[in-house]
Amino acid sequence: MSIAPLELSRSALLVMDFQGGILGSVQDADALVGRTADVIKSIRAAGGHVGYVRVGFEDSDYAALPEFSKFAPIAADPKLRAAMHADSATTAIDNRVAPEDGDLVVRKTRVGPFTTTDLDQQLRSRNVNTLILAGISTSGVVLSTVRQGADLDYRIVVLSDACADPDSEVHDVLVGKVFPRQADVITAAEVVGLLG
């Protein structure tokens, strides 16, 4: 696919939900992490921004969940509650794609990255107008970010092979048919050619 070059000073790669407890839900996680690490390195070298989104709950976050929330069963189950706690190792960003000093990092308590964080404000303060997305899962955080990011007037670029979903068929439909309505969909290797 041919798309306009990226203005790196106004672009941010968002690495979303690359956490130990989530990586295990997708096939070929090591290859996914490797491709994403390569993109992170290229974006940094070209002067772009790198941001991280992770999901994790504090006790007060659990207490604030309405009973009908899809996250309520996590709060009610002591084992799940501990696993999804913000201090748990399972909610930490994988070391192979870990943030560095100066990177943007937000912790969310819902599927999408904007509703429960100051992500939009942090991006705007850096004059970012383009989001390059890598994430798990395609049907969760990536879909939410495409939809809300487009509504917030960001240019959206989805890295199809730096995203994954537990259901590969759902992933294929989203990147092949749904996302192109609001985003440019390219591969991790293709993004490197746009960094000029």
Side-chain angles (χ1 to χ4, degrees):
M1 167 175 254
S2 177
I3 69 171
L6 299 172
E7 186 180 353
L8 261 293
S9 65
R10 302 201 66 196
S11 299
L13 170 66
L14 294 183
V15 181
M16 303 181 293
D17 295 358
F18 273 69
Q19 303 167 220
I22 295 175
L23 276 165
S25 70
V26 298
Q27 293 182 357
D28 299 323
D30 288 339
L32 173 71
V33 170
R35 281 189 298 276
T36 304
D38 289 344
V39 173
I40 292 167
K41 183 178 178 181
S42 295
I43 295 281
R44 283 194 176 121
H49 303 278
V50 180
Y52 293 83
V53 176
R54 63 182 278 260
V55 61
F57 294 83
E58 299 284 352
D59 291 337
S60 59
D61 299 321
Y62 285 130
L65 287 169
E67 63 185 36
F68 53 81
S69 168
K70 294 295 184 183
F71 289 104
I74 295 171
D77 181 320
K79 188 174 180 181
L80 289 175
R81 185 181 178 111
M84 291 304 297
H85 197 277
D87 293 334
S88 170
T90 59
T91 65
I93 297 166
D94 188 281
N95 285 334
R96 296 169 289 177
V97 291
E100 294 183 358
D101 288 344
D103 289 342
L104 185 155
V105 181
V106 296
R107 180 184 62 85
K108 64 185 176 118
T109 58
R110 297 296 186 273
V111 175
F114 293 106
T115 308
T116 61
T117 74
D118 66 348
L119 178 61
D120 183 48
Q121 295 91 327
Q122 288 195 52
L123 291 166
R124 304 235 185 248
S125 73
R126 296 175 186 217
N127 204 28
V128 168
N129 67 3
T130 300
L131 305 180
I132 305 164
L133 307 183
I136 309 165
S137 68
T138 314
S139 62
V141 69
V142 180
L143 174 60
S144 292
T145 309
V146 168
R147 293 294 197 208
Q148 193 167 11
D151 283 352
L152 290 168
D153 295 325
Y154 288 100
R155 176 186 178 192
I156 307 291
V157 178
V158 176
L159 303 181
S160 61
D161 59 347
C163 298
D165 197 273
D167 185 327
S168 60
E169 186 177 345
V170 169
H171 170 85
D172 292 343
V173 169
L174 287 169
V175 300
K177 296 184 176 183
V178 177
F179 293 167
R181 296 175 187 165
Q182 292 181 295
D184 292 310
V185 180
I186 61 174
T187 66
E190 287 172 322
V191 78
V192 175
L194 298 174
L195 301 182

